[in-house]
């Protein structure tokens, strides 16, 4: 019982203080037994669980996270960036407009950076996104070994564009 309480306290404190968590959803039926790729997600700790919003335009993807499914959450140190703790979670999708959804969205709204629609954001989330609750289950699991480095997920986003024709002249011209 004591180790379970210590695990719970470690999970809560580490997750509250971390700005990012890494989440791996459970494998799909008949899919890869390793599960879905691990994703870095921004989150809030609210009422004993992690809350995340995503799967809508301009929001983070939540692949492999299904209502009633399982996930493994790995928490990093905010100071050093190293892994602190990993824990199993049960995923619950909050129904838009429910009291749980409203409470989670109020917390998430305060933490959302660079929102394009400000005060209209909760309404957009209600229409276009999913709000998930990842509740800790059981005791912690061993931390993953190795670097876990992986190529970035495919995306239509790009930062590569042709160099403007005038740029070399501007960079190489002598200052007067």
């Amino acid at each position: 019982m004591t180790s379970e309480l210590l695990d719970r306290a470690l999970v809560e404190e580490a997750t509250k203080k971390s700005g990012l968590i890494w989440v791996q959803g459970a494998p799909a039926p008949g899919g890869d037994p390793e599960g879905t790729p691990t994703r870095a997600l921004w989150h809030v700790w609210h009422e004993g669980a992690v809350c995340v919003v995503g799967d809508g335009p301009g929001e983070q993807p939540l692949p492999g996270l299904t209502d009633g499914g399982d996930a493994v959450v790995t928490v990093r140190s905010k100071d050093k960036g190293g892994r602190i703790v990993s824990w199993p979670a049960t995923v619950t999708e909050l129904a838009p407009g429910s009291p749980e959804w409203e409470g989670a969205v109020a917390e998430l709204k305060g933490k959302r950076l660079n929102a394009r629609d400000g005060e209209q954001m909760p309404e957009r989330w209600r229409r276009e996104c999913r709000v998930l609750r990842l509740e800790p289950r059981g005791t912690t699991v061993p931390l993953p070994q190795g670097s876990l480095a992986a190529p970035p997920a495919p995306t239509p986003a790009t930062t590569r564009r042709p160099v403007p024709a005038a740029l070399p002249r501007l960079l190489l011209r002598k200052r007067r």
Side-chain angles (χ1 to χ4, degrees):
M1 183 66 171
T2 302
S3 72
E4 191 174 312
L5 290 174
L6 290 174
D7 281 352
R8 179 73 177 179
L10 173 63
V11 164
E12 184 171 342
E13 282 305 307
T15 308
K16 277 182 183 178
K17 292 181 179 182
S18 181
L20 283 177
I21 54 175
W22 277 265
V23 179
Q24 181 179 29
D32 182 4
E34 293 296 314
T36 59
T38 302
R39 293 282 215 175
L41 302 176
W42 70 273
H43 70 286
V44 295
W45 183 268
H46 178 65
E47 295 182 353
V50 163
C51 293
V52 296
V53 63
D55 280 351
E59 299 297 341
Q60 61 193 352
L62 305 173
L65 299 179
T66 58
D67 190 25
D70 295 325
V72 175
V73 178
T74 301
V75 181
R76 71 176 180 113
S77 163
K78 189 171 187 172
D79 299 333
K80 305 288 183 190
R83 297 174 214 136
I84 295 177
V85 65
S86 285
W87 45 276
T90 301
V91 179
T92 306
E93 186 168 347
L94 302 178
S98 68
E100 296 84 9
W101 188 90
E102 295 291 341
V105 165
E107 292 292 320
L108 287 161
K109 181 182 173 194
K111 296 286 186 176
R112 176 66 162 93
L113 300 176
N114 304 321
R116 63 175 192 230
D117 49 1
E119 293 301 315
Q120 308 308 317
M121 187 171 36
E123 190 54 41
R124 179 172 55 84
W125 287 350
R126 180 185 317 272
R127 287 188 321 268
E128 303 171 357
C129 298
R130 297 188 309 145
V131 176
L132 302 179
R133 177 180 165 86
L134 283 66
E135 190 165 349
R137 174 178 42 84
T139 60
T140 59
V141 296
L143 289 172
Q145 298 298 310
S147 76
L148 302 181
T155 176
T158 181
T159 56
R160 300 295 250 162
R161 298 219 165 112
V163 174
L167 186 61
R169 286 191 309 255
L170 292 172
L171 293 176
L172 297 175
R173 99 175 149 189
K174 292 182 182 178
R175 295 187 181 198
R176 296 178 188 171

